Amino acid sequence: MLTSVTGVVLVACIVELLRRRKLKEKYAFLWVITGLVIIPLGFFPRGVDAVSEALGVRSGVSLVLFMGVAFLFVVSLQLSWEVGHLEEEGRTLSEEVALLRIDVQDLRARLAEPETPAASAEQGDGK
């Protein structure tokens, strides 16, 4: 029963985080599925034993532990990929900011240059 209550609380927390826009949908999907898998485990604890027996695992507890470790591995792998992607994006943005900063400095330098008499005479001829 405690397992099912934990699953319901997990799903409710995820829905609330989604509602408040504190969690992105792409991450919420995985966590909602996890919560929905946890809920029946509390109501049908012998079901895990039946599944583990069908898979050739000695006990349901071992299967749940293995699945938990595998799940955490997948989550860690996905988050590592996200971090790598964000690092690359940050590097690209830093390079673009540096190039824009150089352009702004060049523009300021050109605007700050005093006009030379030749440039003034050319402008005067056009009037």
Side-chain angles (χ1 to χ4, degrees), residues 93-112:
L93 289 172
S94 295
E95 290 170 357
E96 288 177 7
V97 167
L99 291 172
L100 288 171
R101 187 171 289 152
I102 290 170
D103 288 346
V104 167
Q105 287 173 350
D106 288 347
L107 184 60
R108 284 183 180 161
R110 275 190 258 142
L111 290 174

Side-chain angles (χ1 to χ4, degrees), residues 47-101:
V48 176
D49 290 332
V51 170
S52 67
E53 190 176 308
L55 293 174
V57 179
R58 201 169 279 243
S59 75
V61 174
S62 296
L63 179 64
V64 169
L65 181 62
F66 172 75
M67 295 303 290
V69 169
F71 174 76
L72 291 175
F73 176 76
V74 169
V75 169
S76 295
L77 188 62
Q78 196 270 338
L79 290 175
S80 295
W81 178 82
E82 287 282 336
V83 166
H85 176 73
L86 289 174
E87 284 179 356
E88 181 66 30
E89 190 175 310
R91 186 179 313 113
T92 301
L93 289 172
S94 295
E95 290 170 357
E96 288 177 7
V97 167
L99 291 172
L100 288 171
R101 187 171 289 152

